[in-house]
Amino acid sequence: MSEAFVKIDLHGLRQEEAMKVIDKAIASAGPTTYQLQLIHGYNRGTSLRSMIYDWYRYESKVKRIIPGDNPGITVLILKELY
């Protein structure tokens, strides 16, 4: 994966399925990948959002986790832009 900003749609996935997708994206992130934008949705995606914050704050490749432009998006920062 050589894109700087990667969008991953997690709609309809259970937590275990979403974790597999996110883990694969983190593992395949190249040196130019700055962030993963995880689109989980707002109404039914709140359990995914909680899982992302709880689980990936301990991932060594994730520098920080921030909310996206709307409540249905969470962003994993893999590399700072500065």
Side-chain angles (χ1 to χ4, degrees):
M1 199 180 329
S2 62
E3 300 170 32
F5 305 97
V6 178
K7 292 184 180 186
I8 301 171
D9 189 352
L10 302 173
H11 282 101
L13 298 180
R14 291 177 291 149
Q15 288 185 5
E16 298 81 20
E17 297 168 332
M19 287 175 70
K20 289 179 184 177
V21 172
I22 297 167
D23 289 345
K24 184 177 178 183
I26 290 172
S28 64
T32 59
T33 303
Y34 290 97
Q35 54 180 251
L36 301 178
Q37 187 179 49
L38 307 176
I39 305 165
H40 46 71
Y42 178 67
N43 290 330
R44 296 182 183 238
T46 54
S47 66
L48 288 179
R49 181 179 60 220
S50 297
M51 178 273 297
I52 292 166
Y53 276 99
D54 291 343
W55 187 259
Y56 290 97
R57 66 181 174 194
Y58 300 115
E59 170 62 50
S60 62
K61 292 184 179 181
V62 176
K63 303 298 181 209
R64 58 191 170 105
I65 302 172
I66 60 173
D69 295 337
N70 69 54
I73 298 173
T74 301
V75 180
L76 301 181
I77 306 295
L78 303 181
K79 183 184 283 187
E80 300 291 349
L81 288 172
Y82 54 87

